[in-house]
Amino acid sequence: MKREIATALAAAGLALTALAAAPAQAAPQTRVFGALPPSDPADVAEFRQQADALYRMKEKAFAASDAASVVNGFYAKDAVSFGPDGKPVIGRAEFMEEYERVVKIGFVKIEPVAHHVGKDAAWEWANFHVTPKNPQEKPFTFAMLFLWAKENGQWVCGGDTYAVGQFVKQP
């Protein structure tokens, strides 16, 4: 699974870089998503139910500064993440180091924007809104790409990539 996630993250990073370079008001257009076959509605419904539950769990864990719930309940054991600095975070030990720090920073709200769902793999663009716990700091948003895979019939996040920015949902 690690090789598939790494390959998908590399491709996603290129797509995210192209989208991040677009004007702030630009949202993902059909040219980005149009080449993919349509998702099966039953697969989307199952994915949406499980992914939304995991997003709510992650939001609650941030509110409680609970890194362990995020790392062990949201991500696959060999998940990969990277941001604008390009430094990958790989596996639960590295995720724990990262999340022990970041869950203390703010409250989060995850807003799905666009997805593609297959039988055993999916990806989803999302706005990751952060409201700092320090009231002196301003809120900010990451444009994120979550990569998902099924493990034992359950969706789990295999990794993500992010940049400061925000997608505008199309009507």
Side-chain angles (χ1 to χ4, degrees):
M1 183 168 153
K2 193 177 287 187
R3 172 173 278 175
E4 292 86 357
I5 290 170
T7 301
L9 276 171
L14 292 174
L16 184 59
T17 300
L19 286 171
Q25 287 77 18
Q29 301 295 319
T30 45
R31 64 181 157 71
V32 175
F33 306 116
L36 296 170
S39 299
D40 180 294
D43 293 334
V44 172
E46 176 191 48
F47 169 78
R48 185 81 278 134
Q49 179 183 19
Q50 290 185 33
D52 286 346
L54 288 166
Y55 289 153
R56 302 301 79 86
M57 180 277 300
K58 190 172 187 177
E59 292 166 354
K60 288 177 184 173
F62 264 80
S65 298
D66 179 6
S69 289
V70 174
V71 173
N72 298 316
F74 189 84
Y75 289 103
K77 66 182 177 193
D78 58 352
V80 177
S81 178
F82 66 91
D85 65 1
K87 180 183 176 231
V89 175
I90 303 170
R92 287 199 173 138
E94 289 183 22
F95 270 71
M96 189 61 76
E97 283 181 38
E98 190 77 11
Y99 273 95
E100 283 177 343
R101 183 180 55 79
V102 299
V103 295
K104 296 174 184 172
I105 293 171
F107 301 97
V108 301
K109 178 70 178 161
I110 303 167
E111 173 194 17
V113 175
H115 61 256
H116 180 75
V117 179
K119 294 286 181 201
D120 296 308
W123 53 257
E124 182 156 60
W125 293 107
N127 289 321
F128 192 89
H129 303 287
V130 181
T131 302
K133 292 179 180 175
N134 178 347
Q136 303 297 319
E137 297 177 16
K138 292 183 179 182
F140 57 94
T141 300
F142 291 114
M144 293 194 73
L145 175 63
F146 291 104
L147 300 177
W148 297 89
K150 273 193 181 173
E151 287 185 356
N152 302 318
Q154 297 296 308
W155 288 102
V156 61
C157 185
D160 56 51
T161 185
Y162 59 94
V164 175
Q166 181 171 338
F167 296 111
V168 176
K169 281 190 166 183
Q170 296 295 308

